[in-house]
Amino acid sequence: MKNKNVLLIEAPYSYASAGKEVVGKYFPLGIGYLAAYIRQFGYSVKIFQPSSDESYNQELKDIVRSFRPSLAGISVMTPSYPRAVEICDIIKSNDRNIVTVLGGHHVSAVGKEVLEQSSNIDFSVIGEGEITLHELIRALEPGGPEYEEIKGLAWRDNEGNIHVNDSRELIKDIDSLPFPARDLVDMDKFRLHSYIDFGKRSATMITTRGCPYKCAFCSSWLTMGARYRFRSVENIMKEVRELVEGGIDHIVFEDDTMALKRDRIMAICDALIEMPNRPSWYCLTRVDTMDYELAGKFKAAGCKMVNFGIESGSPEILKLVGKKISLDRAVEAISACRKAGLRTQCTFIVGFPIDTEKTMAMTYSIAKKINPTIAIFFPLTPYPGTRVYNEFLDKSLMPHSVEEWLSYIMTDNKSGISLNSNYTGEEIKAIANKFNRKFFFRPLHILDMLKTVHSPTDLFRLSRGALYLSSNYLKELARGGAS
């Protein structure tokens, strides 16, 4: 390496401009952890934080020229993959000697293909990235390890042949990791989704890594593994106090299932209850972890809203995707939260391979029966590495180039891929939009939602979120594509 400068980037993907005030731009925790880990070893690390989407490319060129990194690491989700390739092209056009490394969910699923699809990508990091990235940086320096010795790495040899090394073991003691390097960015430029932002200054953090459930549609376990690893309560509270001392008054815990281990979540709540200036918070968990006792504890500890993934109103589909929940339990969990004074957010998916008009109507019906504060209906997107992608996607539709991935991704302007032989991607997307609109604009639901409002700011954020989530339906209606 020509120097010890490392540039880290989260590849962006955009939403409709009409939703910019509602859809959040979160601090990239993965990049933050990588930065904190790498700089322990004497490297100078910067996190790229452009001032606007419009000036993104120019600011990227500017930081490449001024910082002169030896290595650029880019975090990639499937919707941001085409943009990540473009970022590598920009970096290489400015300096061919900068080593480009991609990691994240998408790369963990198709790391070899990523290298095949762009010569401007030098390495892929598959799975958890901290140790692999550090070893790769060492390999670029005199006396470092050989590429073939680095677990979790995909690389290209001098003849252009691509190699994928053995998988890396998961980090057992995640307390040993330094807190994300939030000091490398302007935290005021990040914001949460408006309908889950309950503070004046908010942040995200995680208390666990991994998810043991491996639902058929979910790709999160590809990077962080299927084994659940817990941070200690002491370590968690140290980070919470650090955030609060830095002016944070609301935290979104991004764990896939925060309440999986009951005695642990109770201990976290007890610690928060004892904290005199505790922040408010939001988290995600499963319905089979929630009851009135825990909901009451959440409320006392400062929780404002809990997110539950319900996915479908069809027991057959829930079994197919490996969700392992009962709909009766879902009703009970949301009822317990409501009784305790917590807001709830539930997510649903339409367009599963065996979905029919009847089963999708069942999904909408269970949403009405559960009646969470916020319900969001998503069209199914088969992400690489998931079971729905591997088992249900026609092999002829699997993308094999950056251009094909660009067409594959579902956005505001493109319908994406459907796994359901009876519905096109456009039709599935229209159904999701219609359900979002119908759910929010029910008079009784509006009244229920207003009961949870405690300030004009609350009302503004919830209303803005509802309008955004229904806006796609209104666009479809204007084009004559919704019913």
Side-chain angles (χ1 to χ4, degrees):
M1 287 174 50
K2 62 187 179 186
N3 58 39
K4 287 184 172 289
N5 295 351
V6 176
L7 179 64
L8 297 178
I9 303 166
E10 182 181 52
Y13 53 99
S14 61
Y15 295 88
S17 58
K20 283 186 177 180
E21 296 302 316
V22 180
V23 176
K25 182 175 178 57
Y26 288 24
F27 171 76
L29 282 175
I31 291 290
Y33 271 109
L34 289 173
Y37 188 84
I38 294 302
R39 69 179 179 182
Q40 294 180 118
F41 303 100
Y43 298 97
S44 176
V45 183
K46 284 192 176 184
I47 295 175
F48 179 54
Q49 187 180 28
S51 59
S52 71
D53 293 340
E54 292 73 21
S55 62
Y56 189 102
N57 288 2
Q58 185 57 53
E59 290 186 53
L60 178 60
K61 294 174 185 176
D62 292 343
I63 195 171
V64 167
R65 290 165 185 164
S66 61
F67 185 51
R68 299 180 60 249
S70 290
L71 180 144
I74 300 112
S75 178
V76 187
M77 302 287 281
T78 298
S80 64
Y81 170 59
R83 190 73 170 101
V85 176
E86 184 182 355
I87 288 168
C88 290
D89 293 344
I90 292 171
I91 290 170
K92 290 289 191 180
S93 69
N94 280 268
D95 186 346
R96 296 294 307 173
N97 294 319
I98 296 174
V99 175
T100 52
V101 186
L102 264 58
H105 289 355
H106 184 82
V107 180
S108 292
V110 288
K112 181 180 180 182
E113 290 84 346
V114 162
L115 295 183
E116 291 172 342
Q117 290 164 13
S118 174
S119 60
N120 282 334
I121 301 170
D122 295 319
F123 297 94
S124 293
V125 170
I126 299 169
E128 221 164 23
E130 287 89 353
I131 297 174
T132 303
L133 181 60
H134 178 224
E135 290 186 3
L136 172 58
I137 293 172
R138 287 179 51 228
L140 297 169
E141 298 175 323
E146 300 296 327
Y147 297 147
E148 57 262 32
E149 299 172 351
I150 303 173
K151 291 183 177 180
L153 186 71
W155 55 285
R156 191 184 292 106
D157 63 27
N158 292 333
E159 284 73 43
N161 301 308
I162 295 171
H163 306 267
V164 179
N165 296 347
D166 291 341
S167 300
R168 178 169 295 282
E169 301 84 358
L170 297 171
I171 298 170
K172 293 180 180 179
D173 179 15
I174 58 175
D175 274 1
S176 66
L177 296 172
F179 299 155
R182 299 181 180 92
D183 58 296
L184 296 181
V185 299
D186 180 356
M187 286 295 292
D188 288 331
K189 290 185 178 180
F190 296 102
R191 65 189 185 282
L192 304 176
H193 298 324
S194 67
Y195 46 88
I196 66 170
D197 190 358
F198 299 97
K200 295 179 181 177
R201 199 160 181 260
S202 305
T204 54
M205 63 177 282
I206 56 170
T207 72
T208 60
R209 285 190 176 187
C211 182
Y213 292 98
K214 296 175 69 173
C215 295
F217 53 84
C218 182
S219 62
S220 68
W221 64 273
L222 292 169
T223 301
M224 294 301 175
R227 182 166 60 84
Y228 218 51
R229 293 160 291 151
F230 303 88
R231 292 172 61 186
S232 67
V233 177
E234 294 75 19
N235 185 258
I236 293 164
M237 292 308 299
K238 183 179 178 182
E239 184 174 358
V240 169
R241 286 190 292 270
E242 183 179 288
L243 288 172
V244 170
E245 288 167 3
I248 298 299
D249 63 354
H250 180 67
I251 295 173
V252 166
F253 292 104
E254 292 193 317
D255 310 49
D256 288 319
T257 307
M258 190 171 174
L260 185 61
K261 193 175 181 182
R262 192 175 182 91
D263 58 349
R264 174 183 173 275
I265 190 61
M266 285 290 197
I268 292 171
C269 288
D270 287 338
L272 286 166
I273 289 169
E274 293 174 5
M275 188 175 175
N277 56 340
R278 65 176 173 269
S280 61
W281 50 281
Y282 163 104
C283 73
L284 301 86
T285 194
R286 288 171 56 88
V287 295
D288 52 13
T289 66
M290 182 59 68
D291 55 26
Y292 181 66
E293 179 190 19
L294 184 58
K297 182 73 80 168
F298 272 33
K299 179 69 174 178
C303 182
K304 295 290 187 180
M305 179 182 274
V306 184
N307 180 311
F308 300 96
I310 311 299
E311 320 314 351
S312 177
S314 162
E316 182 184 6
I317 289 177
L318 290 177
K319 183 178 181 180
L320 173 74
V321 301
K323 187 65 184 179
K324 300 176 183 176
I325 62 169
S326 78
L327 295 172
D328 288 341
R329 191 72 182 83
V331 173
E332 293 169 4
I334 280 66
S335 177
C337 289
R338 187 181 302 111
K339 184 178 178 182
L342 295 173
R343 290 177 179 168
T344 52
Q345 176 184 351
C346 292
T347 54
F348 303 88
I349 298 173
V350 293
F352 286 111
I354 62 170
D355 249 331
T356 62
E357 182 179 1
K358 179 181 178 181
T359 60
M360 287 188 281
M362 291 167 67
T363 297
Y364 181 71
S365 293
I366 195 66
K368 285 202 303 180
K369 182 177 181 180
I370 291 172
N371 199 30
T373 314
I374 300 284
I376 306 178
F377 298 85
F378 294 101
L380 176 68
T381 299
Y383 290 115
T386 62
R387 191 151 54 84
V388 293
Y389 181 91
N390 294 332
E391 296 180 12
F392 295 100
L393 180 63
D394 188 314
K395 298 299 183 287
S396 67
L397 298 177
M398 289 184 174
H400 297 289
S401 68
V402 178
E403 292 73 23
E404 289 179 4
W405 277 112
L406 191 60
S407 299
Y408 180 89
I409 297 164
M410 183 176 293
T411 68
D412 280 343
N413 300 316
K414 296 197 300 292
S415 60
I417 296 294
S418 172
L419 296 184
N420 192 301
S421 59
N422 295 315
Y423 295 89
T424 65
E426 186 174 354
E427 288 169 335
I428 293 295
K429 183 179 172 184
I431 290 168
N433 290 339
K434 180 177 71 173
F435 285 175
N436 282 320
R437 189 272 310 176
K438 286 177 63 178
F439 185 88
F440 275 105
F441 290 131
R442 293 174 298 129
L444 287 178
H445 180 71
I446 292 172
L447 289 174
D448 285 342
M449 200 161 59
L450 288 174
K451 292 176 185 177
T452 72
V453 170
H454 301 294
S455 70
T457 302
D458 260 2
L459 178 61
F460 177 66
R461 286 170 173 166
L462 278 174
S463 301
R464 195 167 59 175
L467 287 171
Y468 172 74
L469 290 169
S470 60
S471 64
N472 283 335
Y473 172 83
L474 299 176
K475 293 175 190 174
E476 294 289 335
L477 189 64
R479 291 196 296 261
S483 60

